[in-house]
Amino acid sequence: MNGTTHAIRRALGASLCVLLLHGAAAHAADAFEIASSGLPDGGTLSLTHAGSQNHCGGDDVPPPLQWRNAPAATRSFAITMFDPDGAKGLGVTHWVLYGIPASTTSLAAGGALPAGVRVGPNVSGQAAYRGPCPPVGDIAHHYIVQIYALDLAPDALPAALTRDALHAAIKDHVLANSSTVLRFGR
């Protein structure tokens, strides 16, 4: 290979890398994502969001959530909050929401849910948010807040679905998903 051919290949390779990196950055900027305002992924929940049970001192107020860049075909959303560290690693369900209209892009901390949203049972069997309350002395637990963009109408699923039943019901209807991890310890 002569010097000119080598220089052309090197320039083409560099240009291709720039185009690929630019495309990846543009794709990442448009990715479906969920966040809790004021908290980075891995951020620590305030005591307000902790459980009121077992002397945790919290108020059982769900954290604020917002999401963006849902696929155009989205008809509804489902959200779960799960602690994989709870129950000695078997996991604990803290929140199950579904039937969230596609026009919704946020939930305020402790605010009213949009009309028609269904709330499934948490670890204690109640259709409500249950704030974190890990055992004293445990490392801070991880609370995975997962959102699913669905091709289902908001009223397509029956009431009172557990997290596992929700996953089974939406299996072939997820257009995209995103998650954020929140932490809490005491």
Side-chain angles (χ1 to χ4, degrees):
M1 173 181 336
N2 68 32
T4 303
T5 304
H6 184 66
I8 291 172
R9 283 188 176 181
R10 205 173 37 209
L12 286 173
S15 297
L16 181 58
C17 285
V18 168
L19 287 172
L20 289 173
L21 289 174
H22 176 72
H27 177 70
D30 294 337
F32 180 49
E33 60 186 2
I34 188 170
S36 183
S37 75
L39 286 177
D41 191 35
T44 302
L45 287 165
S46 71
L47 192 56
T48 301
H49 305 297
S52 59
Q53 70 286 348
N54 301 327
H55 308 291
C56 281
D59 297 320
D60 284 311
V61 174
L65 300 172
Q66 60 276 333
W67 52 93
R68 63 183 184 163
N69 300 323
T74 301
R75 297 184 65 201
S76 68
F77 298 102
I79 296 175
T80 61
M81 183 171 159
F82 183 74
D83 171 12
D85 305 314
K88 299 184 183 203
L90 297 176
V92 171
T93 299
H94 286 268
W95 207 16
V96 178
L97 297 174
Y98 55 98
I100 303 167
S103 59
T104 304
T105 58
S106 66
L107 298 174
L113 297 173
V117 171
R118 296 196 167 137
V119 183
N122 61 30
V123 65
S124 60
Q126 298 176 330
Y129 169 82
R130 181 170 176 153
C133 188
V136 173
D138 269 15
I139 61 164
H141 283 206
H142 300 82
Y143 299 88
I144 302 169
V145 179
Q146 185 91 26
I147 187 168
Y148 305 91
L150 306 173
D151 65 2
L152 296 170
D155 61 355
L157 299 173
L161 292 176
T162 64
R163 178 177 171 268
D164 289 342
L166 174 67
H167 285 171
I170 66 174
K171 182 179 178 198
D172 296 324
H173 299 282
V174 177
L175 301 172
N177 74 81
S178 181
S179 65
T180 188
V181 177
L182 306 173
R183 297 168 38 99
F184 185 79
R186 57 186 191 118

